[in-house]
Amino acid sequence: MIKLVRSLAISAALISVCSFAAMRHAHAEECDCECVGPRNVDPPPPPPLPPPPDPPPVTGADSSGASINGLADQRFNQMITNRVLGTVLLGVNEQVNCHDCISAFGSAGSFSAGLHGRKELTNNLSLLAGLAYTQYSEGGYHVTSAPIGAFALRYDFTDWGSSRPFFDIGTILTPYEKVRYSRSYTTSLGAVSLDSSTNSSNYAVYGRAGWVSRLSQRDEVAASIEVWQLWQRVAGYTDPAAALNPFDATVATGTDRTNLVKIGGQWTHLFGSSVEGNINGGYVHSFATHSGIVAAVTGDGIVTPTMGDQGWFEYGGRLGFRITQGWIADLFVNGTLGPQPVGNTIHGGVGLRVNY
């Protein structure tokens, strides 16, 4: 009986322990289920922003290319102005036939200073020559330093009498010039303006045939036709550095050329006994002109300007005041009248001439 009771007690104790353990396990599972909740997870990233639109393209390549034509106009004007200044050294404002003389002069409009004169080699043949230093500018370019030399031979048929033919042959030489050319164009970012420095040289040869008449001791008139050939060589250069120049240009070394025909006349008159007056002028026509510019322009490729025929008038005049025997003070003016690229120009100056 005692053993039975003991067995029952042990069995009851084991059942109680097992029941308690089972209840704890069930409770733990229930807590695990009840404690599971939403976890702290980072939010998904926002969708990427669309890329910014491309900036609009910069425009103005065509304007940059067109500005090269402006360079061709400047270089043509330079050839003509250099020739006009050179003819002063060849006595363009003086009578066809006169005594041996030498003149020192200075001019403004284009700064120029130098000497020129003539020397009779025979009764019929004379040498005309001169040398000057000059600076000038027109239409966007600036020649800041240029020595000019000129000489010619004149054959005057003096033994034919007071009305007779004459002939000239000569040259004008400017072997070295410092020059600046300007170039401007517009872009969608704004206007661009550039000044480029380089070197150039000018050469000209000419022949002249005319007829001179001594109407009286006070009056001489002459008419003539001239044929010229001009060359201008310009060293290559590249646009200077600039804050804005998206369509830059590189200009290769090149030679400009043109041919001219001039039909003109002049009249020299002595007023009283001490004042000389001279007026001269003529019409000039250029032909077979070639621009030596070959420019590589960013966005526009290779640009080679062309030049058509041009026409303009040239004029000149002088007043000479006889100070004393053989000494004359001169006031003179020379220039051009016409459309661009030659345009309207004026160069005036003073001189002191000695006849001997």
Side-chain angles (χ1 to χ4, degrees):
M1 184 65 177
I2 295 173
K3 288 182 181 182
L4 180 58
V5 172
R6 185 182 299 168
S7 297
L8 291 174
I10 292 171
S11 299
L14 291 173
I15 291 171
S16 299
V17 170
C18 290
S19 299
F20 180 74
M23 290 175 61
R24 286 182 59 86
H25 180 72
H27 180 69
E29 288 184 353
E30 181 180 353
C31 290
D32 286 344
C33 294
E34 292 177 355
C35 292
V36 174
R39 298 180 180 179
N40 293 328
V41 180
D42 292 337
L49 296 175
D54 293 334
V58 179
T59 61
D62 54 344
S63 177
S64 180
S67 70
I68 303 300
N69 293 321
L71 290 179
D73 289 346
Q74 292 174 40
R75 286 166 56 157
F76 184 82
N77 184 286
Q78 181 185 351
M79 282 194 291
I80 302 307
T81 300
N82 189 81
R83 172 186 156 275
V84 169
L85 297 176
T87 58
V88 174
L89 304 178
L90 298 173
V92 67
N93 298 317
E94 299 170 1
Q95 62 199 70
V96 172
N97 183 274
C98 66
H99 299 292
D100 293 348
C101 64
I102 187 169
S103 175
F105 71 94
S107 67
S110 58
F111 168 76
S112 185
L115 295 168
H116 71 93
R118 70 174 68 198
K119 174 64 179 177
E120 189 177 84
L121 302 178
T122 70
N123 289 336
N124 302 106
L125 184 65
S126 297
L127 171 68
L128 296 82
L131 182 66
Y133 174 85
T134 187
Q135 300 174 348
Y136 57 94
S137 60
E138 183 69 29
Y141 72 93
H142 303 269
V143 174
T144 58
S145 176
I148 300 179
F151 65 88
L153 292 172
R154 173 170 296 162
Y155 196 89
D156 182 5
F157 290 80
T158 56
D159 49 346
W160 284 35
S162 60
S163 183
R164 58 191 185 265
F166 69 94
F167 298 93
D168 291 353
I169 184 170
T171 184
I172 298 173
L173 308 171
T174 310
Y176 179 78
E177 297 171 304
K178 291 182 178 179
V179 61
R180 297 197 313 269
Y181 298 108
S182 65
R183 189 171 78 90
S184 300
Y185 67 95
T186 57
T187 74
S188 55
L189 300 178
V192 178
S193 182
L194 306 160
D195 275 329
S196 300
S197 298
T198 186
N199 302 320
S200 66
S201 55
N202 276 268
Y203 305 96
V205 294
Y206 78 100
R208 180 186 187 197
W211 195 275
V212 58
S213 293
R214 282 281 189 171
L215 302 180
S216 69
Q217 292 296 318
R218 293 179 175 273
D219 293 279
E220 179 197 87
V221 295
S224 64
I225 182 169
E226 304 172 27
V227 178
W228 290 76
Q229 189 165 41
L230 281 64
W231 301 268
Q232 178 174 260
R233 186 161 181 81
V234 180
Y237 61 90
T238 301
D239 282 349
L244 178 62
N245 185 20
F247 303 106
D248 59 341
T250 298
V251 180
T253 298
T255 300
D256 308 313
R257 297 188 301 271
T258 192
N259 301 280
L260 309 177
V261 173
K262 177 180 178 179
I263 299 174
Q266 64 180 71
W267 172 42
T268 304
H269 179 74
L270 176 62
F271 298 90
S273 60
S274 58
V275 179
E276 300 175 2
N278 173 281
I279 56 173
N280 60 86
Y283 176 76
V284 185
H285 182 79
S286 70
F287 61 96
T289 301
H290 168 77
S291 174
I293 295 177
V294 177
V297 182
T298 299
D300 206 45
I302 301 298
V303 179
T304 55
T306 58
M307 296 286 294
D309 293 0
Q310 308 291 328
W312 65 93
F313 291 93
E314 293 181 350
Y315 64 89
R318 176 182 59 87
L319 280 177
F321 303 90
R322 297 183 177 181
I323 303 171
T324 185
Q325 183 66 33
W327 290 81
I328 301 171
D330 289 327
L331 299 174
F332 65 90
V333 64
N334 295 90
T336 60
L337 294 171
Q340 294 296 334
V342 176
N344 302 328
T345 65
I346 183 169
H347 314 277
V350 297
L352 181 62
R353 183 157 45 102
V354 181
N355 291 331
Y356 59 92

